[in-house]
Amino acid sequence: MHESSMKGKRHAVRGSLFHCLCDPGPGGDSRASEYFEDGLLLIENGRIVEYGPALPALARLPENTPVTDYSGKLLLPGFIDAHIHYPQTDIIASYGAQLLEWLNKYTFPTEARFGDPEHAEEVAEFFLEELLRNGTTTAMVMPTIHPVSVDAIFSAAQKRNMRLISGKVLMDRNAPDNLCDTPREAYEQSRLLIEKWHKRDRLLYAITPRFAPTSTEAQLREAGKLAAEYPDTYVHSHVAENHEEIAWVEALFPWSRSYLDVYHKFGLLRERSLFAHGIHLDKTDRKLLEKSGATLAFCPTSNTFLGSGLFDLEDTRQHNVRVGLATDVGGGTSFNMLQTLSDAYKIQQLAGRNLAPTQGIYLATLGSAQALYLEDKLGNFLPGKEADFIVLDDQATPLISRRTSTTTSIEEKLFVFMKLGDDRAVYATHIMGEEAHLR
Ligand code: GUN
Ligand code: ZN
């Protein structure tokens, strides 16, 4: 049966199932996840009704229930990219600079083009297709300062029925004139966009001061005002990524205790506030994150590519700070969350720590959902959740096929996907139960 004719009806999907119920931690606690070698998902109106072993569920299914058969392949909850920039699609893999030089040399010139709605729309379409090809079903996305760049990404996501978070970038200093707004424009344009997009279908709005150096205190105050007036929206920014950047923040905000403290002083730390990077934070900062409910995005390919530093996942976990996994394209070098986990593992190795394969999958799914306060809707296969899921193929490449032929546990197989997998391993991507990509 064709997918579109399944809408609104019960349908089932058969294949191996793996998901996490909580954080397995670096040791990979087996009680934190579930695996069914021959499993079944039952879906109705885009939501999961039931999951578990296939045979007893199939025996109970009404005779004419359609079943999509992915037997032999692995179903996971869709990947959730906690921080990515769609306007940077065309500058991924730009050579030879660290953060501040990279922003001036590559990022700002490319972002200046997003006042053109046709350009914004073309890139947004490509970007979302690229996410789906890579098994990413939800993302928190930074656009540019231009309201049309926000309309473009939300419209493209709405067309695909994707759950996506975005919001106009706020910048009123230390950027080229054509990328600067004012505190008043920041407030007014954000307010109009919140009214237009927040909670429309599956879309959610984020108040988005880019990072402290590109906003005046007057603009951060407006952002804080919006965050208080619209408490169920998100706040999205960057923090403590690069030493030169941190020294700059100290010079710009001499009264602040730390970089994170700048956001705190303007009322930007709260539940649903997410900050990318957070590499160079101290214990006081981590306690402030814990107390406020603000969260971090771990961006391994970006942190290494831009030479920013090694994120301390374990200390952040120990402080009960929610952490999502993110590509941070175009500072990041891959749209693919498996590739992102490959670099996350190496960063843990450099710190003398482990990243269990199950913990890796947790970070890319339920962990990111928790960092975005979406764990009631996304992140695993519990009944009632939205049926965004992906299908991984262990025959995707000759090497993956050869290596997985000798694995004896799901943990081992997940680790092979984590180290050798990329977009080729993503056989299919489903949004609200419906096929959105098939390799
Ligand atoms: N800090 C401020 N803007 C950016 C950006 O676009 N990318 C990264 N990686 N860090 C930032
Ligand atoms: Zn970023």
Side-chain angles (χ1 to χ4, degrees):
M1 180 184 254
H2 190 265
E3 292 290 330
S4 60
S5 57
M6 292 175 180
K7 209 171 184 172
K9 293 190 194 147
R10 276 196 176 210
H11 66 107
V13 185
R14 186 175 186 176
S16 301
L17 295 187
F18 177 85
H19 71 162
C20 291
L21 300 169
C22 57
D23 183 356
D29 186 340
S30 61
R31 292 166 303 180
S33 61
E34 290 182 305
Y35 176 60
F36 304 95
E37 188 169 2
D38 183 13
L40 197 85
L41 283 182
L42 189 60
I43 297 165
E44 187 175 301
N45 293 325
R47 285 173 198 279
I48 293 163
V49 177
E50 193 182 317
Y51 73 97
L55 292 178
L58 283 169
R60 275 185 273 121
L61 274 191
E63 214 172 272
N64 55 1
T65 308
V67 181
T68 306
D69 195 355
Y70 290 121
S71 291
K73 296 189 172 60
L74 177 63
L75 273 57
L76 297 179
F79 293 139
I80 301 174
D81 190 336
H83 172 78
I84 184 167
H85 302 251
Y86 94 85
Q88 296 175 14
T89 299
D90 291 337
I91 55 150
I92 190 170
S94 288
Y95 175 76
Q98 296 211 346
L99 178 65
L100 300 180
E101 186 192 354
W102 176 84
L103 284 173
N104 286 317
K105 191 168 168 183
Y106 301 114
T107 309
F108 291 155
T110 208
E111 290 194 8
R113 299 184 60 199
F114 283 73
D116 171 3
E118 270 176 37
H119 178 67
E121 187 185 325
E122 191 275 324
V123 179
E125 290 287 325
F126 178 90
F127 171 86
L128 290 186
E129 286 307 301
E130 196 60 19
L131 289 190
L132 294 172
R133 269 181 8 83
N134 279 284
T136 296
T137 48
T138 280
M140 190 178 215
V141 182
M142 267 205 195
T144 64
I145 66 151
H146 310 95
V148 294
S149 79
V150 182
D151 289 336
I153 190 68
F154 275 141
S155 297
Q158 188 179 38
K159 200 162 91 183
R160 291 165 177 80
N161 200 19
M162 290 174 75
R163 188 166 281 292
L164 186 129
I165 308 171
S166 192
K168 175 192 144 60
V169 173
L170 317 180
M171 295 201 267
D172 68 342
R173 65 166 162 175
N174 295 320
D177 285 348
N178 60 0
L179 277 181
C180 281
D181 53 14
T182 64
R184 173 131 212 100
E185 280 167 355
Y187 179 86
E188 284 303 330
Q189 293 176 349
S190 299
R191 200 177 54 78
L192 289 174
L193 288 163
I194 292 169
E195 301 289 344
K196 180 169 179 185
W197 291 111
H198 186 53
K199 295 193 163 169
R200 186 160 156 192
D201 296 335
R202 301 182 76 202
L203 309 173
L204 296 161
Y205 196 87
I207 298 151
T208 309
R210 180 183 206 109
F211 69 154
T214 45
S215 286
T216 59
E217 295 195 8
Q219 184 169 71
L220 291 172
R221 201 165 298 119
E222 294 301 297
K225 195 168 153 213
L226 285 165
E229 286 171 0
Y230 296 95
D232 66 354
T233 59
Y234 289 81
V235 172
H236 185 194
S237 191
H238 297 88
V239 76
E241 176 176 5
N242 164 293
H243 290 299
E244 217 185 319
E245 171 211 24
I246 293 165
W248 196 19
V249 172
E250 262 176 48
L252 291 169
F253 303 90
W255 48 262
S256 63
R257 195 205 68 82
S258 69
Y259 189 161
L260 188 73
D261 183 49
V262 174
Y263 298 129
H264 178 49
K265 287 292 181 323
F266 289 103
L268 293 166
L269 299 192
R270 59 156 168 71
E271 292 188 0
R272 283 175 301 284
S273 295
L274 177 138
F275 297 88
H277 308 290
I279 301 168
H280 311 288
L281 297 175
D282 62 16
K283 299 259 177 227
T284 309
D285 289 329
R286 291 204 172 92
K287 282 187 190 143
L288 187 54
L289 288 171
E290 179 183 15
K291 194 157 167 246
S292 63
T295 68
L296 293 178
F298 175 22
C299 312
T301 72
S302 170
N303 295 349
T304 48
F305 177 70
L306 293 176
S308 303
L310 305 178
F311 178 72
D312 193 334
L313 177 63
E314 194 47 30
D315 198 43
T316 311
R317 280 182 76 244
Q318 292 305 327
H319 280 85
N320 301 309
V321 177
R322 299 174 180 219
V323 178
L325 186 74
T327 63
D328 191 31
V329 163
T333 51
S334 173
F335 278 81
N336 189 271
M337 294 287 270
L338 296 168
Q339 290 282 291
T340 305
L341 284 174
S342 175
D343 280 15
Y345 179 81
K346 293 173 191 166
I347 289 170
Q348 293 312 101
Q349 282 284 57
L350 287 169
R353 297 210 165 98
N354 277 326
L355 177 67
T358 53
Q359 186 191 19
I361 299 300
Y362 160 78
L363 283 173
T365 57
L366 184 61
S368 279
Q370 289 168 337
L372 296 171
Y373 286 85
L374 289 174
E375 68 271 23
D376 59 329
K377 298 183 175 65
L378 300 174
N380 58 26
F381 296 135
L382 293 186
K385 294 216 187 181
E386 296 166 354
D388 291 352
F389 64 90
I390 62 172
V391 184
L392 295 186
D393 178 10
D394 66 9
Q395 305 297 302
T397 71
L399 183 61
I400 292 175
S401 166
R402 189 179 174 93
R403 181 64 184 87
T404 51
S405 72
T406 59
T407 55
T408 55
S409 68
I410 182 61
E411 287 82 1
E412 237 188 304
K413 190 182 257 194
L414 290 173
F415 192 60
V416 174
F417 278 125
M418 217 167 111
K419 296 310 302 180
L420 303 178
D422 55 27
D423 53 334
R424 295 169 296 180
V426 179
Y427 181 77
T429 303
H430 285 241
I431 297 285
M432 295 292 277
E434 299 208 43
E435 182 190 296
H437 162 74
L438 187 66
R439 193 187 66 209

